[in-house]
Amino acid sequence: MLGAAPCFDQPFYVGFAVGGFELGLVPDGAPGATGATAYWGVTDAAAELARLASLDAVPHEALQDVGGGIRVATLLDPDGNRLGIIEKPHFDPGAVR
């Protein structure tokens, strides 16, 4: 999804360097679509949905406008884990450092 290999990859933690931050994933041995959903900021939610589908993600909750032009959707990765995408028209991801 990120288009980059992890900067740290161990069975107990996988980290990705993204935009000056580290996105850390803790595999707990209990994959699935329950629990918290992490939303990844994107500039074009429809295009990102198509890209993730090409990587074998399955739509879970359809793309919807939740107000103010903000659009969200969730997908299930090939292991059944839920992930979200969010498009916020007034958010500049380049401004976060």
Side-chain angles (χ1 to χ4, degrees):
M1 177 179 167
L2 300 175
C7 60
F8 188 87
D9 190 357
Q10 294 295 317
F12 57 88
Y13 180 87
V14 180
F16 295 88
V18 182
F21 295 91
E22 181 161 332
L23 170 64
L25 305 174
V26 179
D28 65 2
T34 60
T37 302
Y39 284 83
W40 187 256
V42 299
T43 56
D44 183 337
E48 192 62 15
L49 278 172
R51 187 181 79 83
L52 293 172
S54 77
L55 298 172
D56 297 327
V58 177
H60 181 63
E61 296 173 319
L63 183 62
Q64 59 184 317
D65 189 314
V66 294
I70 299 170
R71 302 189 318 157
V72 299
T74 61
L75 303 101
L76 300 178
D77 73 10
D79 294 318
N81 300 299
R82 184 175 52 191
L83 58 102
I85 60 170
I86 182 168
E87 175 186 328
K88 296 172 76 176
H90 305 293
F91 176 70
D92 178 5
V96 178
R97 303 259 183 244

